[in-house]
Amino acid sequence: MDYSAANIALWNILIQFGILAAAIIVANALRRKIPFFRKSLMPTAVLAGFLLLILRSVGVLQLDGAMMETITYHGIAIGFIAMSLRVQKPDARDRSSALVGAQSGAMIVSVYLVQAIVGCVVVLLLAWTVMPTLFKAAGILLPMGYGQGPGQANNIGGTYESLGFAGGRSFGLSLAASGYLVACIVGVVVLNILAKKGKIRRIEHAELSGSVTVDTFQDQGEMPLSESLDRFSMQAAMVIFTYLLTYLLTWGITAGIGAVSPGAGATVNGLLWGFNFIIGSLVAVLVKVFLSKMKRLHFMERQYQNNYLLNRISGFAFDLMIIAGIASIRLEDLSGLWLPFALLTVVGAAATWFYLAWICKRVYPGYYYEGLMSMFGMLTGTISSGVLLLREIDPEYRTPAANNLVLGSSFGIGFGFPVLILVGMAPKSDVLLYTVIGICIVYLAVLLFFILRTVKGKKKQDETK
């Protein structure tokens, strides 16, 4: 075997990951040393992605586009699997926390629906007037880019591209990238305006790294550090094995449906493989239940999951996903799509802000601005941008806003599953697209009824105490 640089297949993986690693290091240095980047609150991974996008666009460096797409696709699944394998703490099962988590989850999905409805209206108006050849289901990519982030924007954009939306993948990823800018730039501007009006107080703080909450490095009953197998190796093995089970399950389902009905198989195939992170999360929950059962039956004496290390794995996977997703955007694919892209970016940001400003007053009356800024940051960017905005006014997480992001995201998977099915239906025909818009409106009304009814019920319960 040739081990020299001439063997591109041997060294390409190292080169591409080395470029991503270098981008992270440089972006981190820029963010730490240059006040402009630090005050912008732009996450390091987002800054790294934009650096690579600029360098690639001007021809300074070459990236393997197929590998970047692969990293983006697998990164979201690995990240969600690692999150879903975490052991739930007893205090997270508190009834009050579960209720607020359910309300937050319903609210998150209701924002997806608002973004989907607004996005579809904007695109349809363009298709009926100045851009008759525009892919009519393109508006659905707004909640995928803003609400879900680059992973889903990549997956669904790629699916739509195979259905006739030229440049669909880059369009979705560009919306996700613009969502980060909205979260950071608009979020910071709003914070400064509110501070000048005396409604909030921005608090200077030392920048911290890590997740929303600091997990115990070793819980009671876990495998000890002195074990012959490194604890991180066990976490990685569980995540990768769960992902293998996800692959086998998805392959079995799609192959079985395809054998019975080729037409239905073709429809379901893209949907299931595109939403592999949802299936991975469900499989991870089943694996977690199985491990818990084995421990209760004393077939296992130790808890093998470690929340601290699983959070590190998910954080690493999401960072790589963000960098690779932004860096792989092909700006040339947006030729002819700049008008819908600009309109969706602006209208989507405005709709998200005004809707959240209205609903957060009802769901988070005791910490309105903390809840509003954190949710706006997450639902235009990711959870990290939501936390960054929150820390400007609540650096010590004295309000429940940070935990609401985590709990709400967990409940949001259940509430959001019907939305993902609708996303797969929308591009099939104009009739189905209009049907999907109607269903989104109805589902939004249902979620609003649930949110407002539970808020009212909790308020009455608090008044009687």
Side-chain angles (χ1 to χ4, degrees):
M1 182 177 178
D2 180 12
Y3 296 107
S4 71
N7 190 341
I8 298 177
L10 175 65
W11 290 104
N12 187 52
I13 295 177
L14 176 64
I15 293 171
Q16 298 301 314
F17 273 93
I19 292 172
L20 295 180
I24 292 175
I25 294 171
V26 172
N28 185 66
L30 290 174
R31 196 172 188 279
R32 295 289 297 167
K33 299 300 182 182
I34 300 178
F36 171 78
F37 290 118
R38 187 169 61 252
K39 291 179 180 179
S40 72
L41 301 184
M42 184 181 295
T44 300
V46 176
L47 179 57
F50 279 117
L51 285 175
L52 291 181
L53 175 61
I54 293 170
L55 292 175
R56 184 180 63 80
S57 299
V58 298
V60 173
L61 103 94
Q62 291 185 344
L63 287 175
D64 187 332
M67 182 172 291
M68 294 300 109
E69 292 180 30
T70 299
I71 293 171
T72 306
Y73 177 76
H74 290 307
I76 187 173
I78 291 173
F80 271 93
I81 287 171
M83 289 178 62
S84 300
L85 283 173
R86 295 178 304 179
V87 177
Q88 192 177 19
K89 303 298 181 183
D91 58 354
R93 300 189 185 112
D94 178 76
R95 184 177 178 183
S96 176
S97 297
L99 177 60
V100 176
Q103 291 170 342
S104 299
M107 185 175 71
I108 289 170
V109 176
S110 71
V111 174
Y112 297 165
L113 294 169
V114 169
Q115 291 171 341
I117 295 166
V118 168
C120 286
V121 170
V122 169
V123 169
L124 285 174
L125 288 175
L126 289 173
W128 290 337
T129 54
V130 296
M131 299 183 69
T133 60
L134 182 61
F135 191 78
K136 292 181 180 178
I140 296 288
L141 290 174
L142 178 60
M144 297 297 103
Y146 270 32
Q148 291 277 302
Q152 274 301 86
N154 175 77
N155 295 355
I156 304 306
T159 300
Y160 282 14
E161 198 168 276
S162 66
L163 295 173
F165 183 18
R169 180 182 166 277
S170 290
F171 188 78
L173 284 170
S174 297
L175 284 173
S178 68
Y180 285 117
L181 295 178
V182 167
C184 299
I185 297 175
V186 176
V188 172
V189 170
V190 170
L191 282 174
N192 287 324
I193 292 174
L194 292 175
K196 287 182 178 179
K197 291 183 176 180
K199 295 184 177 181
I200 62 170
R201 184 168 65 92
R202 292 190 67 175
I203 302 172
E204 295 294 330
H205 58 85
E207 188 165 344
L208 300 174
S209 63
S211 55
V212 177
T213 56
V214 178
D215 294 293
T216 305
F217 185 71
Q218 179 171 337
D219 287 328
Q220 185 176 4
E222 280 193 34
M223 61 181 293
L225 289 172
S226 58
E227 185 70 59
S228 59
L229 178 66
D230 186 86
R231 189 190 294 176
F232 181 80
S233 299
M234 175 57 74
Q235 310 309 307
M238 286 190 292
V239 171
I240 295 171
F241 176 69
T242 303
Y243 199 15
L244 174 62
L245 292 179
T246 302
Y247 166 79
L248 294 174
L249 176 62
T250 308
W251 173 76
I253 293 173
T254 54
I257 295 175
V260 175
S261 173
T267 301
V268 173
N269 188 66
L271 186 66
L272 292 183
W273 289 112
F275 297 143
N276 70 327
F277 81 99
I278 291 288
I279 301 174
S281 298
L282 296 176
V283 172
V285 170
L286 293 177
V287 170
K288 181 170 64 176
V289 170
F290 173 78
L291 292 174
S292 177
K293 186 70 172 178
M294 291 297 100
K295 189 177 180 183
R296 284 200 300 270
L297 295 175
H298 301 291
F299 283 105
M300 285 173 22
E301 300 298 327
R302 296 169 178 166
Q303 173 186 307
Y304 285 94
Q305 302 105 300
N306 179 272
N307 286 358
Y308 176 83
L309 293 177
L310 287 171
N311 271 340
R312 303 287 71 74
I313 292 174
S314 66
F316 177 67
F318 287 145
D319 282 341
L320 283 182
M321 175 197 73
I322 291 168
I323 299 169
I326 295 175
S328 63
I329 295 172
R330 296 187 294 267
L331 295 178
E332 60 273 15
D333 288 350
L334 295 179
S335 176
L337 295 173
W338 289 108
L339 178 59
F341 168 72
L343 286 176
L344 286 178
T345 297
V346 175
V347 177
T352 302
W353 171 261
F354 287 114
Y355 175 76
L356 282 173
W358 174 76
I359 194 69
C360 285
K361 278 186 179 178
R362 289 147 179 82
V363 181
Y364 308 129
Y367 48 100
Y368 168 61
Y369 288 110
E370 291 84 354
L372 170 61
M373 297 310 302
S374 60
M375 283 293 173
F376 178 74
M378 184 177 75
L379 290 168
T380 51
T382 61
I383 191 171
S384 62
S385 49
V387 172
L388 286 169
L389 288 178
L390 173 64
R391 293 194 69 243
E392 291 298 300
I393 53 179
D394 184 18
E396 296 181 3
Y397 306 126
R398 295 184 184 276
T399 68
N403 284 333
N404 290 346
L405 297 179
V406 179
L407 283 173
S409 297
S410 300
F411 279 93
I413 293 176
F415 285 114
F417 189 74
V419 178
L420 298 179
I421 296 176
L422 296 176
V423 169
M425 292 171 50
K428 300 298 181 181
S429 68
D430 287 356
V431 173
L432 277 177
L433 174 60
Y434 304 145
T435 303
V436 164
I437 296 172
I439 295 174
C440 285
I441 294 172
V442 172
Y443 192 30
L444 175 61
V446 171
L447 290 178
L448 281 175
F449 176 79
F450 167 77
I451 295 169
L452 298 177
R453 185 67 179 267
T454 53
V455 167
K456 186 177 180 181
K458 186 176 184 299
K459 189 175 181 181
K460 286 183 177 180
Q461 186 180 14
D462 293 338
E463 290 173 351
T464 56
K465 287 183 180 179

